Amino acid sequence: MTGPMRPAFSEGQVLAAADLSATVEHARGVSGRHARHLHDWGVAEGLALTTEPRTDAATGARYVEVSVAAGYAVDGTGREIVVTDPVVLRESDFEEVNGADSALAVQDEPYPVFLAAADREPAASPQPVSCGGANARTRVEESYRLVFGRLGDELLVGGQEPPAIGAAPAAPPVRWLILLGYVHWTDGHFSGVATSARGVPVRYSGVRADTVSAQSGALTLRTGTAVQEGKPAVVLSGGEQPSLVFGLYQGSGTVAPLMTMAANGNLTIEGSFNGRMPVGSTLVTSGTATDGMLLPLPAGITAQQVADGRAVVHVHLTPRIPATAEESVLHVPAEATVDADLRVRCRARLYDPLNAPGEVFERPGAVDFLVVAAVPATNGGG
């Protein structure tokens, strides 16, 4: 068993074509193994399907011209595919593959579009002076093919098998399909594009790593290649006050925190918190309520949990002394209760011995409430 062979040279050595080719193949093998084993294959940059509105000169019908944007991808063999300029998709190529499906195509179904590597001989290769007079090619164009698939062919992408560990990037006729998206076909023309269909989206390249380290002391994860206001980001910061922050980008390019986890474990959330109550947990909410008001349940507790016994609610009410214009007015709580629906019943009696001797007034009152909800450890939880 041997590993990859690296060419070695010495002074005075006569180099044959095989020696120079071995140098190129060794470099390609290193690059291919790196791309294949340290990264996930897929679209790395660009290659989106774009549309331009058009009109059929014969029928006046509106349709779209579909192009593949310039970009870069790596296939599952570790081979790079470079599209240097936008390419217009030809409707004749689509009809050649899917012409028999014309009845289905009228239904505006999404058909897959693939990218595959291809080697081509350049139209005019530079020819060095040769003592032997041989007219062999000296260049190979690492090109590509755009391939239309039939309905359901997108499922072929997930079944492709990578080459062996030590293999170099595959050369034709081996073909690796990279899904670029889908085209819609209606009445003899392209009518639109899509990035996902039948549960299979465009696949983008990734990285395989157990450790990701930041040299600046802060590691940022975001959902786009560029900073964009209003988009989410996760920032892991070191330094004197380490923290983990989830937030949204502001116009200045900084992340406005929505949730912050400090080094001591303290969690700060700008919004509300909702979650399933684990067995044995207790949640509390408090505030002020007036007569007839429904008391709120603590966040994470639902009325259904209370109704079927998965959560037990305890309520404590403290009547409030209302402000009155006369200091001589006496205030006596007449009622401060809550019914099964957590609706407050609060009444207060007022008596002014100076201004209205013997007359007692009753009116709605207010209470300070404390609602405690618990999930008992004996009921199996929620």
Side-chain angles (χ1 to χ4, degrees):
M1 301 296 292
T2 61
M5 302 295 289
R6 184 177 70 248
F9 306 105
S10 60
E11 292 292 339
Q13 176 182 352
V14 177
L15 298 180
D19 298 316
L20 299 178
S21 295
T23 302
V24 174
E25 290 304 316
H26 179 265
R28 293 188 72 224
V30 171
S31 174
R33 289 188 293 274
H34 175 96
R36 191 163 65 241
H37 303 305
L38 293 181
H39 297 271
D40 289 325
W41 62 270
V43 176
E45 178 68 27
L47 300 178
L49 299 182
T50 61
T51 61
E52 286 290 336
R54 295 288 186 264
T55 302
D56 190 316
T59 64
R62 301 287 291 173
Y63 67 99
V64 296
E65 179 183 85
V66 180
S67 299
V68 176
Y72 170 84
V74 179
D75 70 16
T77 74
R79 175 166 173 156
E80 296 180 328
I81 306 177
V82 182
V83 179
T84 57
D85 297 292
V87 181
V88 176
L89 297 182
R90 293 183 297 193
E91 293 179 335
S92 59
D93 291 342
F94 176 88
E95 289 183 308
E96 183 177 345
V97 175
N98 293 290
D101 288 344
S102 58
L104 293 175
V106 174
Q107 299 178 12
D108 196 28
E109 290 284 344
Y111 287 77
V113 180
F114 302 107
L115 176 71
D119 283 347
R120 293 195 179 98
E121 185 173 353
S125 299
Q127 298 293 329
V129 177
S130 173
C131 296
N135 192 26
R137 68 178 186 177
T138 61
R139 301 289 188 274
V140 176
E141 180 185 355
E142 295 185 339
S143 188
Y144 59 88
R145 289 185 60 202
L146 292 169
V147 182
F148 290 105
R150 298 172 68 87
L151 291 175
D153 279 356
E154 65 275 1
L155 299 178
L156 299 174
V157 171
Q160 299 176 108
E161 293 292 335
I165 293 293
V174 176
R175 185 176 70 173
W176 192 281
L177 298 176
I178 297 177
L179 179 65
L180 300 183
Y182 300 82
V183 292
H184 291 269
W185 181 263
T186 305
D187 297 333
H189 292 291
F190 294 129
S191 57
V193 299
T195 58
S196 179
R198 296 176 287 274
V200 182
V202 174
R203 174 166 174 160
Y204 294 93
S205 60
V207 62
R208 301 181 183 182
D210 289 337
T211 301
V212 179
S213 58
Q215 299 186 59
S216 65
L219 182 66
T220 301
L221 301 177
R222 59 174 178 250
T223 58
T225 56
V227 173
Q228 187 174 354
E229 185 176 1
K231 295 298 183 180
V234 177
V235 182
L236 177 62
S237 301
E240 296 181 358
Q241 296 181 334
S243 64
L244 176 65
V245 172
F246 169 79
L248 302 178
Y249 275 113
Q250 298 177 309
S252 61
T254 59
V255 176
L258 294 177
M259 182 181 71
T260 302
M261 174 72 78
N264 60 3
N266 289 343
L267 181 65
T268 303
I269 301 177
E270 297 300 319
S272 61
F273 176 81
N274 294 304
R276 174 171 292 187
M277 284 286 292
V279 172
S281 297
T282 301
L283 287 178
V284 177
T285 188
S286 61
T288 301
T290 56
D291 182 61
M293 177 178 171
L294 283 173
L295 295 183
L297 290 170
I301 295 293
T302 66
Q304 186 60 44
Q305 287 177 303
V306 177
D308 59 23
R310 286 180 293 155
V312 178
V313 174
H314 303 275
V315 179
H316 178 74
L317 303 178
T318 302
R320 294 179 64 91
I321 300 176
T324 57
E326 302 294 338
E327 294 183 357
S328 59
V329 174
L330 301 178
H331 172 273
V332 178
E335 183 181 14
T337 60
V338 63
D339 61 18
D341 295 326
L342 297 186
R343 188 178 300 279
V344 172
R345 177 65 177 173
C346 179
R347 307 291 294 180
R349 294 193 180 105
L350 302 179
Y351 173 63
D352 189 347
L354 299 182
N355 296 329
E359 188 174 358
V360 177
F361 300 93
E362 186 172 306
R363 69 179 189 184
V367 294
D368 293 325
F369 66 85
L370 179 69
V371 179
V372 180
V375 177
T378 58
N379 72 355

